[in-house]
Amino acid sequence: MGRAEVGTPKYLANKMKAKGLQKLRWYCQMCEKQCRDENGFKCHTMSESHQRQLLLFADSPGKFIHSFSKDFSDGYMELLRRRFGTKRVNANKVYQEYISAKDHIHMNATRWLTLSDYVKWLGRTGQVLADETEKGWYVTYIDRSPEAMERQAKADKKEKLEKDDEERMMEFIQNQIEKAQSKESSTQQEREYTELRRDEEQPLKLDLKLEKKFNPDTKLGPSALLLQRSKAERRGRDRASNKDSDDDASDAAAEKVFKKPKVPKLEKRKESSSKESSNSSSKSALDELILEEEAKKERLNRKDYWLHTGIVVKFTNKAMGDKLYKQKAVVQEVIDKYRAKIKFLDTGDKLKVDQAHLETVIPALDKPILVVNGAYRGCEALLKKLDERNYCVTIEISRGPLKGRVLDKVQYEDISKIYQ
């Protein structure tokens, strides 16, 4: 039976069928021909053109398989880069979009038998980040273009500069705190009061410093008043009738001269109150500055990734079996911030896992830990106190410019044990 003529209903029906996707089992990759049914595929395999292609394939099969594998991988990675970028996506979803094109390279012509084998190969070669979940394999494209590498280098340089400025600011604040504390301790030492004790062997001496007062009526000093008193007494002996009045006047004058002046204490109180108010105001301003710097550090250093080399972690994925579930391991290498190469402490097995399948480990008291996230990210410290009710700890920085600083209410997930 010959082909249908152009324009006939049979011809149009054949064209409409040819537009859609057909079964993969009836596709010949060597001839790049899609058959609609089993009979058509059988007729194609018996054709002379197909036999010639098979002879070419038999001469160098590795060359053709390598070519088909490269074309398939290039098309898959191009779709992943252009369509999804660096987002984490299901590998099967990308594959379904790739095979929707009619002229794609079929996987049965490549060296990979399944999609899982291909995804594992991409992860081993470092082209993507591959992780297996309950919903299947997920891939994340790694952009290694010169533009992306330059952007990453600039971002790392900027982060390093900000961290250096932050360390200098923290050192300046620490010096200010030490100066304020030393000043406060010196003022407290000046205000210390001692008990008044008398030496019974020594005689009691009173040192009265009397101020000279000016009398506007007489315009005379204290010595002139004393001389006037002595003259009045001498005249009183001769005048018996005025003796009592003269004696009263002299006593009043003597009391006025030798009266002890009061020392004003209002000025001292004002000075002490002004000193205390200045100390409290400077202290409150310093506290506000410290709180502001702490909030800034928290915003800069709080990331969505926390893996560090040399820390002890706990494996929490049940997919690998009960043998490795809840087992402790040490992080040997961090791969692209979100994945790590770990080695189990009991069995010695090595595995590449995502940080979602790991959690931090809290050591015993006075053991070294590493701050893996938050304001003090990357600092080594010692565990001082454990608050199980609020899921937080108290630590003390053990190295660096902040050595000796005590941090309260640090969350469990922000610290992890250091492998020793």
Side-chain angles (χ1 to χ4, degrees):
M1 184 177 178
R3 292 186 179 182
E5 294 182 2
V6 179
T8 60
K10 185 65 176 178
Y11 177 82
L12 295 177
N14 291 339
K15 285 295 183 181
M16 292 174 64
K17 290 179 181 178
K19 285 184 179 179
L21 293 175
Q22 305 297 323
K23 288 187 178 180
L24 180 61
R25 59 183 294 190
W26 297 331
Y27 182 82
C28 178
Q29 185 65 59
M30 284 297 299
C31 302
E32 297 182 358
K33 180 176 178 58
Q34 175 70 59
C35 301
R36 287 200 295 268
D37 51 17
E38 185 177 1
N39 185 39
F41 186 73
K42 182 179 179 181
C43 293
H44 170 70
T45 56
M46 296 173 64
S47 64
E48 185 180 355
S49 62
H50 180 74
Q51 296 297 327
R52 286 198 300 268
Q53 292 294 332
L54 288 183
L55 291 175
L56 292 174
F57 180 80
D59 292 339
S60 56
K63 176 182 178 182
F64 285 96
I65 292 178
H66 176 73
S67 176
F68 292 148
S69 301
K70 185 177 183 302
D71 293 341
F72 173 80
S73 180
D74 292 344
Y76 187 92
M77 292 299 294
E78 178 65 21
L79 178 63
L80 178 63
R81 181 190 66 82
R82 178 170 40 82
R83 175 72 171 81
F84 300 99
T86 56
K87 295 181 181 179
R88 185 171 176 265
V89 64
N90 194 310
N92 189 43
K93 182 179 179 181
V94 184
Y95 178 72
Q96 294 299 325
E97 292 193 15
Y98 172 73
I99 65 176
S100 63
K102 186 177 179 181
D103 56 347
H104 70 277
I105 303 297
H106 291 270
M107 184 172 284
N108 61 355
T110 64
R111 61 190 178 117
W112 302 290
L113 300 178
T114 61
L115 181 62
S116 299
D117 294 339
Y118 174 63
V119 172
K120 292 178 182 178
W121 178 81
L122 289 178
R124 288 194 301 269
T125 55
Q127 300 182 49
V128 299
L129 295 178
D131 60 304
E132 186 179 10
T133 63
E134 297 177 355
K135 297 181 180 180
W137 283 93
Y138 280 79
V139 293
T140 305
Y141 178 72
I142 301 176
D143 192 0
R144 301 187 186 277
S145 61
E147 296 81 6
M149 299 296 288
E150 185 177 358
R151 288 196 301 269
Q152 185 64 30
K154 288 182 179 179
D156 294 341
K157 184 177 180 181
K158 183 179 179 182
E159 184 177 358
K160 183 179 180 181
L161 291 176
E162 290 179 354
K163 189 173 181 181
D164 294 341
D165 295 340
E166 188 177 340
E167 289 179 355
R168 285 195 293 268
M169 178 59 70
M170 292 305 301
E171 185 176 0
F172 172 73
I173 293 175
Q174 186 67 24
N175 294 334
Q176 295 295 326
I177 292 174
E178 292 177 357
K179 288 181 181 180
Q181 290 177 353
S182 62
K183 185 177 181 180
E184 185 177 357
S185 62
S186 63
T187 53
Q188 288 180 355
Q189 291 178 359
E190 291 177 358
R191 295 176 187 173
E192 289 182 356
Y193 299 99
T194 57
E195 184 180 357
L196 181 61
R197 296 181 180 180
R198 177 185 174 188
D199 191 0
E200 297 180 356
E201 296 180 358
Q202 297 293 334
L204 182 62
K205 297 180 180 180
L206 296 177
D207 187 8
L208 299 178
K209 296 180 180 180
L210 303 178
E211 296 181 358
K212 296 181 180 180
K213 291 188 176 181
F214 178 74
N215 192 347
D217 297 333
T218 59
K219 297 183 180 181
L220 298 175
S223 58
L225 290 175
L226 291 174
L227 182 60
Q228 187 178 5
R229 179 187 174 188
S230 62
K231 288 181 179 181
E233 290 179 352
R234 195 176 300 113
R235 286 195 303 270
R237 295 189 188 98
D238 299 333
R239 298 176 183 178
S241 59
N242 297 328
K243 182 177 180 181
D244 295 333
S245 59
D246 292 335
D247 289 338
D248 293 338
S250 62
D251 293 337
E255 183 178 0
K256 184 176 181 181
V257 173
F258 292 98
K259 187 176 181 180
K260 181 179 179 180
K262 294 183 179 180
V263 179
K265 297 182 179 180
L266 182 60
E267 295 180 358
K268 292 184 178 180
R269 292 178 181 176
K270 288 183 179 179
E271 291 178 358
S272 61
S273 63
S274 63
K275 288 182 180 180
E276 293 177 356
S277 63
S278 63
N279 290 334
S280 62
S281 63
S282 62
K283 189 174 181 181
S284 62
L286 186 60
D287 293 339
E288 291 179 359
L289 181 60
I290 293 174
L291 293 176
E292 184 178 352
E293 289 298 325
E294 291 288 337
K296 182 180 178 182
K297 286 180 65 177
E298 180 69 21
R299 290 194 303 270
L300 292 176
N301 293 335
R302 176 65 62 178
K303 309 289 184 182
D304 58 348
Y305 53 88
W306 53 269
L307 290 174
H308 289 73
T309 57
I311 63 173
V312 180
V313 294
K314 186 180 291 184
F315 187 68
T316 60
N317 190 1
K318 295 183 179 179
M320 303 299 294
D322 297 336
K323 180 181 178 182
L324 300 179
Y325 181 63
K326 292 293 185 180
Q327 294 297 319
K328 295 181 181 179
V330 59
V331 178
Q332 292 185 332
E333 181 183 357
V334 178
I335 305 172
D336 295 317
K337 300 180 182 179
Y338 295 94
R339 299 179 69 244
K341 181 179 180 182
I342 63 174
K343 179 181 179 181
F344 290 92
L345 300 180
D346 295 337
T347 61
D349 297 336
K350 295 182 180 181
L351 191 64
K352 289 183 180 179
V353 295
D354 190 83
Q355 71 173 8
H357 302 149
L358 301 173
E359 65 180 18
T360 59
V361 175
I362 308 300
L365 295 180
D366 295 329
K367 293 295 183 180
I369 57 98
L370 181 70
V371 182
V372 297
N373 209 347
Y376 295 88
R377 181 187 183 97
C379 295
E380 296 184 12
L382 297 177
L383 182 62
K384 291 299 182 182
K385 186 178 179 182
L386 190 66
D387 188 358
E388 297 180 356
R389 178 176 298 179
N390 297 322
Y391 303 101
C392 59
V393 296
T394 300
I395 62 175
E396 180 181 352
I397 305 298
S398 59
R399 289 186 180 181
L402 305 178
K403 182 179 180 180
R405 174 169 295 187
V406 178
L407 307 177
D408 297 326
K409 298 181 179 180
V410 181
Q411 300 299 320
Y412 281 175
E413 57 270 17
D414 290 344
I415 65 168
S416 189
K417 179 181 177 181
I418 296 178
Y419 179 71
Q420 292 181 335

